[in-house]
Amino acid sequence: MTAIVRDASMIARLSIFKGLAFVVVTSLILHWMVSHYIDEISRSRDFYLKIFEDFPALIWRAGTDAKCNYFNKTWLKFSGRTMEQELGDGWTEGVHPEDFDRCLNIYLDSFKNRMPFVMEYRLRRADGEYRWIIDHGMPFYDLRGQFSGYIGSCYDISERKAVERRLEHLSAHDSLTGINNRSFFEAEVARISAADVFPVSIISFDLDSLKVVNDTCGHAAGDELIRATAQVLRKVVRSGDTLARVGGDEFVLIIPGAGRAVADETVDRIKQPLLATTLRGTVIKSTSHLERQRQRVRNHYRKRSLKLTGTCIVRSTPIKMSS
């Protein structure tokens, strides 16, 4: 009976030992598998970065703390800085001061809400020039669906921005004189009306005999007359006023906050330099009667002073401006 008890006790101990051994071995295997799995995930997570190293776009990556932890070679070549300098918030040192706050707010707000973003800002290139870039940021997740940070790509759009600025300038400026055009004038009137800025004076100028100059001296001489007039007006107009060419021979001047006295003073101030300005041109030699006629007209308009006639409107009351 005693032998049977000893045998049962031995069997129980062996069973416990086997159980413990199984647990230990299983734990070791699971630990190895988990470590291997984590290592594979880490290698898989970073594998795509090798693909992006020489990608033509500027690539960046940020962790869950919103701090950047990777930049590709293209980014580092563009910035002329090392990886260590750019990591964390270091990259923000290259953002133009005027764009910094807006750029950082978009970045952090998007990060907080786990939303993609697109933003444009100026980033300093290695040669010190600020270039416009467009930055696309996108949240990414691990295999378990857990948020892992952001990855983004940037492209230089400086040439596009230059074209946009040029088109914007052309849409609001007269191509012949460089001053504001009719579209800008109408938009400014609408803005002033909506803002209820009163009093406001609008002075309208018409060139004398522009058609005669065009018909007898040619449109080149007429264009010269228009440009010379715009140049004179630009010099005497105050910085807060709006000068525009709204027609072939018509100019307007908007003076916000100006009553009748200021408008009259402005008209007098503009007339003096116009009276002292002459139209210069090139003499064209000709022996024909018609060309001699045209030559006399050309000489007449070259020697005479620029002359404007027009009206001044303060609110809605027209005031005649004497020639």
Side-chain angles (χ1 to χ4, degrees):
M1 185 69 179
T2 302
I4 295 174
V5 170
R6 284 199 302 268
D7 290 342
S9 178
M10 181 65 69
I11 292 172
R13 286 197 295 270
L14 286 174
S15 298
I16 292 173
F17 175 77
K18 288 180 180 180
L20 290 174
F22 177 79
V23 170
V24 171
V25 172
T26 302
S27 297
L28 290 173
I29 293 174
L30 287 175
H31 177 74
W32 178 86
M33 291 179 64
V34 170
S35 298
H36 182 72
Y37 178 71
I38 292 175
D39 187 54
E40 285 295 320
I41 291 176
S42 179
R43 285 202 298 268
S44 299
R45 184 190 62 188
D46 294 335
F47 174 73
Y48 67 86
L49 298 181
K50 296 179 181 179
I51 300 176
F52 289 146
E53 272 298 284
D54 297 308
F55 204 69
L58 283 66
I59 305 294
W60 57 269
R61 186 186 67 179
T64 55
D65 57 357
K67 306 292 184 181
C68 288
N69 54 32
Y70 170 80
F71 297 91
N72 70 344
K73 290 180 180 178
T74 308
W75 178 291
L76 298 178
K77 182 179 179 180
F78 177 93
S79 67
R81 289 157 58 92
T82 64
M83 181 73 77
E84 289 72 23
Q85 289 175 312
E86 297 290 76
L87 289 178
D89 296 327
W91 67 276
T92 62
E93 296 175 7
V95 178
H96 195 285
E98 294 178 1
D99 302 330
F100 182 83
D101 290 339
R102 174 179 56 83
C103 175
L104 201 60
N105 288 336
I106 293 175
Y107 178 73
L108 294 178
D109 287 346
S110 301
F111 222 96
K112 179 180 179 181
N113 297 303
R114 308 287 192 264
M115 295 294 294
F117 66 82
V118 178
M119 61 180 175
E120 298 178 1
Y121 57 92
R122 285 162 289 184
L123 188 66
R124 188 172 59 242
R125 198 168 58 183
D127 59 3
E129 179 185 351
Y130 282 98
R131 304 286 291 179
W132 277 101
I133 67 169
I134 184 168
D135 192 341
H136 298 261
M138 180 75 67
F140 70 94
Y141 300 83
D142 61 20
L143 296 178
R144 299 187 300 273
Q146 298 295 317
F147 173 69
S148 297
Y150 267 70
I151 188 164
S153 61
C154 308
Y155 298 88
D156 190 328
I157 58 169
S158 299
E159 284 71 24
R160 193 197 79 185
K161 297 291 284 188
V163 171
E164 289 176 354
R165 287 193 298 270
R166 177 61 178 164
L167 292 175
E168 183 179 356
H169 178 83
L170 291 175
S171 68
H173 292 80
D174 176 49
S175 59
L176 179 61
T177 63
I179 64 175
N180 300 311
N181 61 14
R182 187 181 195 89
S183 296
F184 185 90
F185 165 73
E186 292 175 348
E188 186 67 6
V189 169
R191 185 190 69 80
I192 292 174
S193 299
D196 197 23
V197 178
F198 290 104
V200 59
S201 296
I202 300 178
I203 304 174
S204 175
F205 304 95
D206 291 312
L207 284 172
D208 275 354
S209 306
L210 177 62
K211 185 177 187 304
V212 176
V213 175
N214 285 333
D215 292 344
T216 57
C217 302
H219 286 276
D223 289 347
E224 182 187 349
L225 178 60
I226 293 171
R227 281 192 294 267
T229 304
Q231 185 176 2
V232 172
L233 292 174
R234 185 187 283 123
K235 289 180 179 178
V236 298
V237 168
R238 303 179 309 178
S239 60
D241 301 337
T242 299
L243 174 66
R245 180 185 175 211
V246 296
D249 64 348
E250 186 179 359
F251 296 83
V252 292
L253 176 62
I254 304 176
I255 315 176
R260 184 183 299 265
V262 175
D264 289 340
E265 184 275 330
T266 302
V267 170
D268 292 336
R269 178 162 47 87
I270 289 174
K271 285 168 63 177
Q272 296 307 315
L274 288 174
L275 293 173
T277 304
T278 57
L279 174 62
R280 295 170 297 180
T282 303
V283 176
I284 302 175
K285 296 181 180 179
S286 175
T287 56
S288 70
H289 175 71
L290 178 59
E291 286 303 318
R292 284 197 300 273
Q293 291 270 70
R294 291 178 175 174
Q295 188 63 57
R296 283 194 292 271
V297 175
R298 288 191 185 97
N299 291 336
H300 170 69
Y301 279 100
R302 287 189 189 102
K303 294 175 183 177
R304 71 175 293 180
S305 298
L306 292 177
K307 188 178 181 183
L308 299 178
T309 59
T311 59
C312 171
I313 300 176
V314 182
R315 290 188 179 177
S316 60
T317 305
I319 304 172
K320 283 291 182 180
M321 186 186 91
S322 58
S323 302

